[in-house]
Amino acid sequence: MNILFIMYDQLRFDYLGCAGHPHLETPHFDRVANMGVRFTNAYVQSPICGASRMSTYTGRYASSHGAQWNGFPLRVGEQTMGDHLRKLGMDCWLIGKTHMKADAEGMARLGLEADSLIGVRQAECGFDAWVRDDGLWGEGPDGFYDEKRSPYNEYLKSKGYAGENPWADYANAGLEDGHAASGWMFKNADLPANIREEDSETPWLTSETIRFVDQAKGPWCAHVSYIKPHWPYIVPAPYHDMYGPNHVPAAKRDRVELENTHPVLKAFMDGKVGQAFQNEATRQKVIPAYMGLIKQCDDQLGRLLAHLEETDQLNDTMIVLTSDHGDYLGDHYLGEKNLFHDPSVKVPMIIYDPRPTANKTRGTKCDALVESIDLAPTFVEAAGGSVPDHILEGRSLMPWINGDTPEWRAYAVSEYDYSATPIGPGLGLEPRDCRLFMVYDGRYKLMHAEGGLRPMLFDLQSDPDEIHDLCKTDQHADLVDKMYGHLHSWGLRMSQRVTRSEQDIRDMRGQSVRRGILPFMHDGSEVHDELTEKYRRAVSQNHIKDLD
Amino acid sequence: MNILFIMYDQLRFDYLGCAGHPHLETPHFDRVANMGVRFTNAYVQSPICGASRMSTYTGRYASSHGAQWNGFPLRVGEQTMGDHLRKLGMDCWLIGKTHMKADAEGMARLGLEADSLIGVRQAECGFDAWVRDDGLWGEGPDGFYDEKRSPYNEYLKSKGYAGENPWADYANAGLEDGHAASGWMFKNADLPANIREEDSETPWLTSETIRFVDQAKGPWCAHVSYIKPHWPYIVPAPYHDMYGPNHVPAAKRDRVELENTHPVLKAFMDGKVGQAFQNEATRQKVIPAYMGLIKQCDDQLGRLLAHLEETDQLNDTMIVLTSDHGDYLGDHYLGEKNLFHDPSVKVPMIIYDPRPTANKTRGTKCDALVESIDLAPTFVEAAGGSVPDHILEGRSLMPWINGDTPEWRAYAVSEYDYSATPIGPGLGLEPRDCRLFMVYDGRYKLMHAEGGLRPMLFDLQSDPDEIHDLCKTDQHADLVDKMYGHLHSWGLRMSQRVTRSEQDIRDMRGQSVRRGILPFMHDGSEVHDELTEKYRRAVSQNHIKDLD
């Protein structure tokens, strides 16, 4: 069996037909959901691209791997799903984005050549790159945001698109009155992108995926990682005008959120992103483009499924659909991601397992608390391995997929490090204190903030839209304590003993005695007979007098 | 300035003259204390050789580096004081023991050659080895406990000592009626070791140190790491009969400790080591030998100090004296180390800084809560560097040495992983639940046990001998909560963000805008003038029509 592990970027959990969106139809996502299991409570370990992905790829919490924000390098030697799967004889390929930043300093310290096989895999987060393109080719006075080469820009140039950065001038610009108009600007979000649809990012990566699949020898895991529907919010025709203001759901927000607001939440609300999305005109421009981008993703998923079907691979390919985080889109007076309301931290998670063992769960949904770090162990188990649970902190989802009801985690955890934003200095905090933690037990969601700030708490049973922060009063101290109990247990978890497994430890018990470490005996009669002979070596005839 | 960083193994904090021992005179330790500062509240991060040393060498807590017990390899890439000092132009040498176990699997995964300079340093915990000898050459039916070569055994053979393992047959055997008698056995602890005193382990390593010092070009840090006074408890003449039963302090224990005893404490009391030391005859044999070993260490320290003086290096060498943990020696019905009573977890810590900046603290003591992980940052600062506090979790002691009174930590933390002992299975615990944590705030000492066991709490102000476990009743819930508050804060500490410093993060703020990431703008009027030109690139004349 092969694994097609598809990640979309910034795709909200509820912007799919199968997840109940009132206007957006996504028949191909829905088809995969009908073929497999849709996990309705899937949480990312950090609501930002880089940290979330490093958690998904390593199967470890953000504070365990340490790459807690975009551009924080993943420390050299940290193991990823590529390392685990390759040991099991399964290749692990990348097609698209990872947001991986290599630990160049650590690699140099260990003498790893950047262009060696090992060095390249370290730099590519353990993947072999069929194509790596992180999809953000912004350029400013200090140069490109991303200094690597862009295979997508190279593709566009090969197709005749002009200039140094056709990603900016075509794929992410609108076309207005015969002129390109920057896709960065909301006012242009309803324009058709200045590009042929088939050359835009999502079809291009789909073509790359088909090209990969057609030549690959299994077993393989392919991480197909689309940049969309991430901003810039602009989409080519015909997707640019499929949706309009009448398809834009009302923002989930309430003026009560503006009273006695948690200082970090308030800072995000007051930032330029929050301000932009508090303007309803922004939402009405942006959300139809966002929906168009998703619709295009769905059509391209259909194209990929059709290809697998035509080439008789659908019965031999596990398909996983998920995202790295959501998008507030104006809910809670916020844009982007960053905090732990469901629109930001909850993601789609659909898994189709073609094997007969999964037959009884096809088309079902599962409400268990799932974390993105569960994917790596799921893949290890799907590839026939046993999960190295001294390294991987997630848990295999295979029992759910096979219709079992395993003992399961009592809470999900997510983290967010906002030290690189202007908010920390605004609150007078040092970088290390700019850290947030979420604990969610399926009903209550606690947000803890380092730096001496108060927590937030929501009851998603009585308040599913997460409007009423129960920490605005002191009336829920017992609940807060209970949720902190979970967080504190988690804080003391074993996360770095990665060089010794549970079984290794069981096996090492008692070994030192059999290797001659015999302290705390009176006269040796305590040792077993089988140890006696070696023990007697130490009471031999050799003695210092012989030397005199 | 050079740094002579001397570690003894299993040396209790209170078995020194300057620490108030009633019978043991240690004029050379006392001399260094008079030349520098004696830290009276120094705690190791784990009361067992391997884990404690990995913390001291990395400057990081045991659950941060993950090598939480003897023989758990230190993960490849984990940085040590050698890495930090070498960057500052200071060599970092090892003379003696580290208990380092290389992460051979990790090194192979990263393609590090075991015999390359980088590979050797990875395997030697970041040190360059002048001589590496871990000092435990026990041998049993399954072979040697330590499979490396033993420079000390090679030395003994070169001196004419016979057999394959003269460490066992001479250095660690007693001489009785012309026969060697195993030094493993307590009944032999009062015999003189079967070796010439000058060939025993402590003088040998001192000679190696002198040989090192005489050829070294500074600046260097030399970690001189003696195996003694660690067991086997046997010492050559004349040290073997310098002390007798009348010099053995009464055990610090009280029958109240045997009532309602914490299950982990009880398991250690009931183990073979605890049982052995509950026998007063054992104490009376062992403790005089232990004292003799320390007396020999003191004499050899005197020899080293005299050599530094003669070669005019005493004014140019920082001298640090400490240990990796203590020894219960029957206190609390226990032997060995393992738990967090002071005889186990508290160590001597004496620092002589020859520079005039330290003049005002010479001969003083400092009662601040010091951790062994403070040494690495102290050395970094002594070598002229600034402390990379995103990696090193300890704090430089230089302010104390210079007579300042810095803001300081409110509590010390230590950890102990007993998963490899028989105690875990006896309590029905999985390996990952066999973990203990100590939090000590200078008055109260809490021990937390994973696996659902109750904590222990001592008030060292009213109960300095730590006899009365306040958690035997529920009367101190508020105190327990307060101490747990410290532990829980510590559990959420930032420990793995080792690839980005606080300053790196401050420097990266706002950079993405200057690299063309311009989301969440209405029409671009929000960007500064200096960004306008590059921004305009995205609203150029290029458009898709040109291709048609």
Side-chain angles (χ1 to χ4, degrees):
Chain A
M1 188 173 69
N2 302 317
I3 301 173
L4 193 61
F5 165 34
I6 303 178
M7 184 177 279
Y8 300 91
D9 198 316
Q10 201 142 332
L11 174 59
R12 271 175 69 130
F13 77 98
D14 55 353
Y15 270 58
L16 293 176
C18 55
H21 194 282
H23 304 297
L24 185 59
E25 291 179 357
T26 52
H28 303 293
F29 277 92
D30 300 359
R31 179 184 175 199
V32 180
N34 278 324
M35 292 158 62
V37 178
R38 186 167 70 86
F39 292 91
T40 61
N41 276 303
Y43 287 86
V44 292
Q45 273 47 77
S46 187
I48 183 168
C49 300
S52 174
R53 288 158 180 272
M54 295 308 108
S55 282
T56 304
Y57 304 151
T58 62
R60 290 160 60 73
Y61 292 102
S63 58
S64 298
H65 61 66
Q68 290 164 253
W69 214 64
N70 291 338
F72 291 8
L74 185 70
R75 63 187 287 181
V76 65
E78 188 74 17
Q79 295 176 67
T80 68
M81 58 172 67
D83 294 300
H84 299 297
L85 293 179
R86 223 171 269 120
K87 262 191 214 167
L88 300 168
M90 180 178 272
D91 287 335
C92 197
W93 288 89
L94 169 68
I95 304 168
K97 166 171 175 167
T98 60
H99 223 123
M100 167 76 181
K101 172 93 171 174
D103 177 11
E105 193 180 316
M107 288 173 64
R109 195 171 63 245
L110 295 181
L112 299 191
E113 303 285 347
D115 59 355
S116 66
L117 181 62
I118 290 170
V120 169
R121 283 177 178 165
Q122 283 293 310
E124 292 294 0
C125 208
F127 294 107
D128 288 320
W130 175 259
V131 59
R132 160 90 185 262
D133 192 304
D134 278 1
L136 280 181
W137 303 102
E139 191 186 1
D142 290 351
F144 275 91
Y145 170 71
D146 185 339
E147 291 171 336
K148 295 187 290 297
R149 53 174 278 253
S150 165
Y152 179 61
N153 256 338
E154 290 168 13
Y155 166 82
L156 291 181
K157 290 174 193 173
S158 78
K159 290 287 180 177
Y161 294 90
E164 275 311 295
N165 190 1
W167 175 89
D169 296 344
Y170 294 96
N172 288 280
L175 184 63
E176 185 173 38
D177 302 332
H179 285 68
S182 171
W184 287 117
M185 306 305 150
F186 293 152
K187 76 178 177 69
N188 302 326
D190 57 352
L191 298 175
N194 182 28
I195 193 165
R196 288 183 290 247
E197 194 271 335
E198 68 266 29
D199 291 335
S200 63
E201 290 155 285
T202 300
W204 168 72
L205 203 73
T206 306
S207 300
E208 286 293 333
T209 304
I210 289 170
R211 209 159 63 82
F212 168 82
V213 165
D214 284 349
Q215 58 77 54
K217 304 272 183 293
W220 48 258
C221 172
H223 177 43
V224 179
S225 186
Y226 292 100
I227 180 65
K228 293 299 170 186
H230 193 287
W231 42 257
Y233 300 109
I234 195 152
V235 63
Y239 299 99
H240 74 294
D241 64 359
M242 280 188 182
Y243 307 95
N246 56 327
H247 299 110
V248 173
K252 289 184 179 170
R253 64 191 181 201
D254 188 296
R255 296 203 62 80
V256 74
E257 296 180 271
L258 303 178
E259 296 160 15
N260 192 11
T261 311
H262 189 283
V264 177
L265 174 55
K266 181 164 174 19
F268 277 111
M269 285 175 172
D270 291 348
K272 68 174 183 183
V273 186
Q275 293 293 311
F277 277 92
Q278 287 167 35
N279 183 345
E280 188 60 24
T282 302
R283 296 184 75 245
Q284 293 189 4
K285 283 266 191 179
V286 165
I287 292 178
Y290 181 73
M291 291 169 69
L293 287 165
I294 296 169
K295 186 69 180 170
Q296 187 185 27
C297 288
D298 187 68
D299 284 343
Q300 291 297 318
L301 175 60
R303 184 181 155 216
L304 198 50
L305 292 174
H307 184 79
L308 291 174
E309 214 157 13
E310 284 158 19
T311 54
D312 201 23
Q313 296 186 72
L314 206 49
N315 293 325
D316 198 27
T317 306
M318 173 179 268
I319 299 173
V320 178
L321 307 175
T322 191
S323 177
D324 59 348
H325 54 73
D327 190 327
Y328 274 110
L329 294 174
D331 291 354
H332 309 290
Y333 301 96
L334 297 169
E336 274 271 66
K337 44 266 181 181
N338 314 124
L339 287 167
F340 304 118
H341 300 88
D342 274 1
S344 172
V345 75
K346 188 167 167 175
V347 289
M349 177 81 77
I350 299 169
I351 302 183
Y352 156 66
D353 181 340
R355 294 171 295 187
T357 42
N359 282 349
K360 61 183 143 180
T361 60
R362 300 201 190 287
T364 65
K365 62 193 180 69
C366 173
D367 299 331
L369 277 174
V370 163
E371 302 184 318
S372 292
I373 57 175
D374 295 339
L375 289 177
T378 301
F379 299 169
V380 166
E381 199 173 329
S386 61
V387 176
D389 63 1
H390 61 303
I391 304 172
L392 296 176
E393 298 186 285
R395 297 185 53 182
S396 169
L397 299 173
M398 288 311 308
W400 297 113
I401 292 166
N402 292 337
D404 298 330
T405 308
E407 284 283 312
W408 201 245
R409 65 170 61 88
Y411 52 89
V413 173
S414 190
E415 302 174 76
Y416 187 72
D417 180 330
Y418 61 96
S419 58
T421 74
I423 290 174
L427 295 172
L429 297 175
E430 292 301 306
R432 66 176 66 243
D433 290 328
C434 298
R435 293 182 294 137
L436 307 175
F437 298 82
M438 176 200 85
V439 188
Y440 176 54
D441 70 359
R443 174 170 177 181
Y444 295 103
K445 190 187 278 184
L446 178 87
M447 183 195 82
H448 163 69
E450 288 284 296
L453 303 173
R454 73 163 172 89
M456 297 173 73
L457 182 71
F458 297 98
D459 176 356
L460 275 75
Q461 186 171 303
S462 65
D463 176 28
D465 288 343
E466 306 173 272
I467 301 296
H468 302 282
D469 174 6
L470 300 179
C471 287
K472 288 182 180 176
T473 73
D474 293 335
Q475 291 172 26
H476 303 276
D478 287 351
L479 265 177
V480 170
D481 281 356
K482 185 187 160 205
M483 297 306 291
Y484 264 114
H486 293 322
L487 181 65
H488 293 149
S489 294
W490 176 85
L492 295 179
R493 75 197 178 282
M494 170 79 81
S495 69
Q496 303 303 325
R497 197 241 287 135
V498 294
T499 61
R500 278 287 179 264
S501 70
E502 297 281 287
Q503 192 56 48
D504 289 339
I505 289 171
R506 291 187 196 101
D507 292 344
M508 72 189 282
R509 288 182 188 140
Q511 279 189 357
S512 64
V513 172
R514 294 187 52 84
R515 291 180 176 271
I517 298 296
L518 308 174
F520 315 112
M521 294 182 186
H522 177 256
D523 60 7
S525 59
E526 299 93 333
V527 291
H528 302 300
D529 281 349
E530 61 172 330
L531 296 175
T532 307
E533 184 188 358
K534 281 292 181 183
Y535 151 65
R536 288 199 191 286
R537 279 182 44 77
V539 284
S540 68
Q541 297 299 317
N542 296 330
H543 55 85
I544 184 70
K545 292 250 158 65
D546 298 339
L547 294 172
D548 293 337
Chain B
M1 188 174 69
N2 302 317
I3 301 173
L4 193 61
F5 165 33
I6 304 178
M7 183 177 281
Y8 300 91
D9 198 315
Q10 200 142 334
L11 175 59
R12 272 174 70 129
F13 77 99
D14 56 354
Y15 270 59
L16 293 176
C18 55
H21 195 281
H23 305 296
L24 185 58
E25 292 180 356
T26 51
H28 304 294
F29 277 93
D30 301 359
R31 180 186 174 198
V32 180
N34 278 323
M35 292 158 63
V37 178
R38 185 167 70 85
F39 292 91
T40 61
N41 276 303
Y43 288 86
V44 292
Q45 273 46 78
S46 186
I48 184 168
C49 299
S52 174
R53 288 159 180 271
M54 295 308 107
S55 283
T56 304
Y57 304 151
T58 61
R60 291 160 59 73
Y61 291 102
S63 57
S64 298
H65 60 65
Q68 290 166 250
W69 215 65
N70 291 338
F72 291 7
L74 185 69
R75 64 187 285 181
V76 66
E78 187 74 17
Q79 294 176 70
T80 68
M81 56 173 68
D83 294 300
H84 300 296
L85 293 178
R86 224 171 269 120
K87 262 191 213 166
L88 300 167
M90 179 178 273
D91 287 335
C92 196
W93 289 89
L94 169 68
I95 306 168
K97 165 171 176 167
T98 60
H99 224 122
M100 168 75 180
K101 171 94 172 174
D103 178 10
E105 192 180 318
M107 289 172 64
R109 194 172 62 246
L110 295 182
L112 299 191
E113 302 285 347
D115 59 355
S116 66
L117 180 62
I118 290 171
V120 169
R121 283 176 178 164
Q122 283 292 312
E124 294 293 1
C125 208
F127 294 107
D128 289 319
W130 175 260
V131 58
R132 160 89 185 263
D133 192 303
D134 277 1
L136 280 182
W137 303 102
E139 191 187 0
D142 292 350
F144 275 91
Y145 171 70
D146 185 339
E147 291 172 337
K148 295 187 291 296
R149 54 174 277 253
S150 163
Y152 179 59
N153 256 339
E154 290 167 14
Y155 166 80
L156 291 181
K157 290 175 193 172
S158 78
K159 290 287 181 177
Y161 294 91
E164 277 309 296
N165 190 0
W167 176 89
D169 296 344
Y170 295 96
N172 287 281
L175 183 63
E176 185 173 38
D177 302 331
H179 285 68
S182 171
W184 288 117
M185 305 307 149
F186 293 152
K187 76 179 177 71
N188 302 326
D190 56 354
L191 298 175
N194 183 27
I195 194 166
R196 286 183 293 247
E197 194 272 333
E198 68 265 29
D199 291 334
S200 62
E201 289 155 284
T202 301
W204 168 71
L205 202 73
T206 306
S207 300
E208 287 292 332
T209 304
I210 289 171
R211 210 160 62 82
F212 168 82
V213 165
D214 284 349
Q215 58 77 53
K217 304 272 183 293
W220 47 258
C221 172
H223 177 43
V224 179
S225 185
Y226 291 101
I227 180 64
K228 293 300 171 186
H230 193 287
W231 43 256
Y233 300 109
I234 195 152
V235 63
Y239 299 99
H240 74 294
D241 63 359
M242 281 186 181
Y243 307 96
N246 56 327
H247 299 110
V248 174
K252 288 183 179 172
R253 64 190 181 202
D254 188 296
R255 297 203 61 80
V256 74
E257 295 180 272
L258 304 178
E259 296 160 16
N260 192 10
T261 311
H262 188 283
V264 177
L265 175 54
K266 180 164 176 14
F268 277 111
M269 286 175 172
D270 291 347
K272 68 176 183 180
V273 187
Q275 293 293 312
F277 277 93
Q278 287 168 34
N279 183 345
E280 189 59 25
T282 302
R283 297 184 75 245
Q284 293 189 3
K285 283 265 190 180
V286 164
I287 293 178
Y290 181 73
M291 291 170 69
L293 287 165
I294 296 169
K295 186 68 181 173
Q296 188 186 25
C297 287
D298 188 66
D299 284 342
Q300 292 298 317
L301 175 59
R303 184 182 156 214
L304 198 49
L305 293 173
H307 183 79
L308 291 175
E309 214 157 14
E310 285 158 19
T311 54
D312 202 24
Q313 297 186 72
L314 206 49
N315 293 325
D316 198 27
T317 306
M318 172 178 270
I319 299 174
V320 178
L321 306 175
T322 191
S323 178
D324 59 348
H325 54 75
D327 191 327
Y328 274 109
L329 294 174
D331 292 354
H332 308 289
Y333 302 95
L334 296 169
E336 275 272 65
K337 45 264 181 182
N338 315 123
L339 287 168
F340 304 118
H341 300 88
D342 274 1
S344 172
V345 74
K346 188 168 167 175
V347 289
M349 178 81 77
I350 299 169
I351 302 182
Y352 157 66
D353 181 339
R355 296 171 294 187
T357 41
N359 283 349
K360 59 183 143 179
T361 61
R362 300 200 191 285
T364 65
K365 64 193 179 70
C366 173
D367 300 331
L369 277 175
V370 164
E371 301 184 319
S372 291
I373 57 176
D374 295 340
L375 289 176
T378 301
F379 298 169
V380 166
E381 198 172 330
S386 61
V387 176
D389 63 1
H390 61 302
I391 304 173
L392 296 175
E393 298 185 286
R395 297 186 52 182
S396 169
L397 299 173
M398 289 312 306
W400 297 113
I401 292 166
N402 292 337
D404 298 330
T405 308
E407 284 283 312
W408 201 246
R409 65 170 60 88
Y411 53 88
V413 173
S414 189
E415 301 174 74
Y416 187 71
D417 180 329
Y418 61 97
S419 58
T421 75
I423 290 174
L427 295 173
L429 297 176
E430 291 301 306
R432 68 175 65 241
D433 290 328
C434 298
R435 293 183 294 137
L436 307 175
F437 297 82
M438 177 200 85
V439 187
Y440 177 54
D441 70 0
R443 174 171 178 181
Y444 295 103
K445 190 187 280 184
L446 179 86
M447 183 195 82
H448 164 68
E450 288 284 296
L453 303 173
R454 72 165 174 88
M456 297 173 73
L457 182 71
F458 297 98
D459 176 356
L460 276 76
Q461 186 171 302
S462 64
D463 175 28
D465 289 343
E466 305 173 90
I467 300 297
H468 302 283
D469 173 6
L470 300 178
C471 288
K472 287 182 181 177
T473 73
D474 293 334
Q475 291 172 26
H476 304 277
D478 287 351
L479 266 176
V480 170
D481 281 356
K482 185 187 160 205
M483 297 305 291
Y484 264 114
H486 293 323
L487 181 63
H488 293 150
S489 295
W490 176 85
L492 295 180
R493 75 196 179 283
M494 170 79 81
S495 70
Q496 304 303 325
R497 197 239 289 135
V498 294
T499 60
R500 277 288 179 264
S501 71
E502 297 281 287
Q503 193 55 47
D504 289 338
I505 289 171
R506 291 186 197 100
D507 293 344
M508 72 189 281
R509 288 182 187 140
Q511 279 191 356
S512 64
V513 171
R514 293 187 53 84
R515 290 180 177 270
I517 299 296
L518 309 175
F520 315 111
M521 295 181 185
H522 177 255
D523 60 7
S525 59
E526 300 92 334
V527 291
H528 303 300
D529 281 350
E530 60 172 332
L531 296 176
T532 306
E533 186 188 356
K534 281 292 183 183
Y535 149 66
R536 289 201 190 285
R537 277 184 43 80
V539 282
S540 68
Q541 297 299 319
N542 296 329
H543 55 85
I544 183 68
K545 293 251 158 72
D546 297 339
L547 293 171
D548 294 336

